[in-house]
Amino acid sequence: MKILVLGSGGREHALVWKLRQSPRVSAVFCAPGNAGIAQLATCVALKVTEQAALVQFAKDERIDLTVVGPDDALAAGIVDLFQKNGLRIFGPTQRAAQLESSKVFAKEFMQRHGIPTARSGSFSESSEAQRFCRGASYPLVVKADGLALGKGVIIAQNPWEAGLAIHEIMDARKFGDAGNRVLIEEFLTGEECSIHALVDGKNYLLFPSAQDHKRALDGDQGLNTGGMGTFSPAAKLVTPEIEERIHREVLVPFIAGLEKDGLDYRGMLFPGLMITADGPKVLEFNCRFGDPETQVLLTRLDSDLVELLEATIDGRLADVQARWKADAAVCVILASGGYPGSYASGKPIAGLDHVADGITVFHAGTKRDGDKTVTAGGRVLGVTALAADLPTARAKAYAAVEEIAFEGRQFRRDIAVKGLTA
Ligand code: AMP
Ligand code: GLY
């Protein structure tokens, strides 16, 4: 089989790494890829937005299966276009991917189908949103409806902050059309976890739990990022009782909702959940693999990923099972200094040649420059360790981090601390 992966981050490196291990796979291509992916796959100089050219490439190369990494490609309808051209592709259609690309669409879906989530209101006029905020209690969460590179969610502590957020999103159009509508919702307290489940339209297959660290600095301080590190399993937070509630209160009603709404969802479903005192509540749906959740999840996966993706596309998830290592995995992101703000690129990376046993270094923002690998993005590398338990995996990941250097290297020192038992 020939496989094409779309995207260029650590998630895509992990996908390529795992897909390459399948005995059924003869070649892997990645568009556009990065320096780490280039060691495992043939990189193709096409962006995920160059849809027509990607279709042509898949036809010319006789690609058997395309796997979509990022949300913007799904929102732009890449799956629909591949399907129209008779090409096999993993991911939900544009209509189904609205569960991620429109927060109002997702909220209405959850409300219709009784999936627990924060109380909220949606507004298409900024004056109405402003009026609502004047009488509300705080903190309050203001969200741009559409995709905004993870920056469209503002936690407002008072009416002034909420008003400014609404103004920036709806009047100044900071995120363009993503700000045509806003969702204003109740602030939830609790701890967050990342749930992944393959969904084939009628059935789902739950992956192990994971937790991300979204803030830039230790102790969950600083700005929101794409994710500074992950670990799996998140056994301390997602206890068997909480997992049972996630099945019963989120995933079962999700599948029933698809059927009632006539929505054919096939792909990865990644709900971000807040585990509150009242149980799990959905903060958002993502219609793709998480980044850097994928790095720890696929490190723990024993089964052939190709089989799981094909079963999802063909509606056969009820007939397959996934095998997982009992080991724990920890991924520490090394970022460029200044991320998620502005940062420099092109810094040579040292220490990539001798990586210890049980460590995989997934590349994100890297590229080749002559005979060197250099930084080329905010998140640069995901140093991922697998070990018998979480404390050991954590220690191994940080020991490996010390071996890798580049100017401005920035990382959190407390990844997975919240997963350790007291
Ligand atoms: P979202 O893109 O909707 O997941 O929001 C991004 C981040 O904002 C989440 O991971 C949470 O940390 C935070 N967040 C979103 N909605 C809420 C909420 N209702 N209450 C508290 N925090 C929230
Ligand atoms: N790590 C969170 C995400 O992929 O959205």
Side-chain angles (χ1 to χ4, degrees):
M1 260 179 102
K2 289 168 96 176
I3 303 222
L4 170 65
V5 174
L6 303 184
S8 61
R11 163 183 53 208
E12 288 76 17
H13 191 180
L15 285 165
V16 165
W17 172 83
K18 185 66 193 170
L19 291 165
R20 265 273 311 246
Q21 292 168 20
S22 168
R24 294 178 49 206
V25 171
S26 56
V28 181
F29 297 83
C30 186
N34 60 38
I37 291 172
Q39 294 172 351
L40 301 173
T42 306
C43 289
V44 185
L46 288 172
K47 296 199 200 82
V48 299
T49 46
E50 295 179 83
Q51 292 196 0
L54 288 167
V55 165
Q56 196 56 50
F57 175 82
K59 284 185 176 171
D60 292 346
E61 282 293 336
R62 299 181 184 278
I63 298 292
D64 298 294
L65 173 63
T66 299
V67 183
V68 187
D71 51 11
D72 52 349
L74 296 169
I78 187 92
V79 170
D80 310 60
L81 187 68
F82 268 59
Q83 286 175 347
K84 251 185 238 142
N85 282 274
L87 294 162
R88 208 161 153 73
I89 185 163
F90 176 86
T93 59
Q94 187 173 40
R95 177 163 176 254
Q98 287 178 89
L99 285 165
E100 177 166 5
S101 65
S102 167
K103 290 186 187 293
V104 174
F105 182 93
K107 186 63 83 172
E108 288 172 356
F109 180 91
M110 290 187 262
Q111 286 166 343
R112 240 185 346 267
H113 304 300
I115 297 171
T117 183
R119 283 191 306 256
S120 69
S122 70
F123 301 88
S124 47
E125 295 292 335
S126 73
S127 55
E128 280 175 36
Q130 295 283 8
R131 196 165 29 248
F132 174 86
C133 288
R134 282 196 283 275
S137 50
Y138 286 82
L140 200 63
V141 188
V142 179
K143 300 183 173 186
D145 178 45
L147 297 178
L149 297 168
K151 295 187 177 128
V153 175
I154 294 99
I155 314 251
Q157 300 297 339
N158 52 53
W160 186 83
E161 286 180 9
L164 181 64
I166 292 164
H167 173 73
E168 288 192 336
I169 295 170
M170 301 191 85
D171 304 328
R173 305 188 65 74
K174 196 171 168 187
F175 309 112
D177 285 349
N180 286 348
R181 292 188 287 182
V182 290
L183 198 67
I184 300 182
E185 67 179 38
E186 134 197 50
F187 179 79
L188 298 174
T189 47
E191 204 172 325
E192 287 179 53
C193 69
S194 300
I195 295 302
H196 285 69
L198 290 170
V199 173
D200 71 2
K202 300 230 173 322
N203 293 287
Y204 66 88
L205 188 152
L206 181 64
F207 276 25
S209 57
Q211 273 183 272
D212 189 12
H213 300 68
K214 288 200 164 128
R215 302 294 198 96
L217 307 175
D218 285 9
D220 293 332
Q221 302 295 307
L223 295 173
N224 251 331
T225 71
M228 293 300 287
T230 41
F231 64 93
S232 173
K236 190 175 153 197
L237 180 63
V238 185
T239 59
E241 186 222 334
I242 291 292
E243 186 172 307
E244 206 275 315
R245 289 188 68 170
I246 293 170
H247 281 290
R248 186 159 38 90
E249 296 173 21
V250 179
L251 296 169
V252 171
F254 181 87
I255 297 286
L258 295 181
E259 200 134 1
K260 283 190 199 127
D261 288 358
L263 205 56
D264 185 9
Y265 190 106
R266 289 166 199 244
M268 176 55 86
L269 178 75
F270 155 23
L273 301 188
M274 186 76 86
I275 309 301
T276 70
D278 300 332
K281 297 202 177 180
V282 177
L283 293 173
E284 63 172 345
F285 286 124
N286 301 294
C287 298
R288 52 177 174 80
F289 285 86
D291 188 349
E293 285 85 348
T294 304
Q295 289 84 320
V296 286
L297 292 174
L298 295 187
T299 296
R300 296 188 60 216
L301 178 63
D302 257 338
S303 304
D304 186 340
L305 182 59
V306 176
E307 303 287 349
L308 299 181
L309 301 185
E310 291 216 303
T312 305
I313 296 173
D314 297 336
R316 289 187 287 104
L317 276 179
D319 305 331
V320 299
Q321 282 185 333
R323 291 179 313 279
W324 299 92
K325 295 187 203 314
D327 296 357
V330 172
C331 171
V332 178
I333 295 293
L334 304 186
S336 296
Y339 173 79
S342 60
Y343 53 83
S345 285
K347 305 292 179 194
I349 306 171
L352 290 173
D353 296 337
H354 304 287
V355 175
D357 256 9
I359 300 285
T360 314
V361 179
F362 293 113
H363 289 222
T366 67
K367 66 171 189 194
R368 290 296 284 177
D369 181 5
D371 60 351
K372 291 195 290 265
T373 299
V374 300
T375 65
R379 292 189 291 175
V380 176
L381 300 166
V383 178
T384 308
L386 184 71
D389 54 41
L390 198 62
T392 313
R394 189 179 126 70
K396 263 174 86 167
Y398 278 103
V401 161
E402 290 310 323
E403 302 298 316
I404 298 172
F406 56 87
E407 193 185 313
R409 184 192 67 162
Q410 168 198 327
F411 61 94
R412 277 182 62 161
R413 290 172 194 278
D414 64 346
I415 301 303
V417 166
K418 65 174 103 175
L420 306 175
T421 35

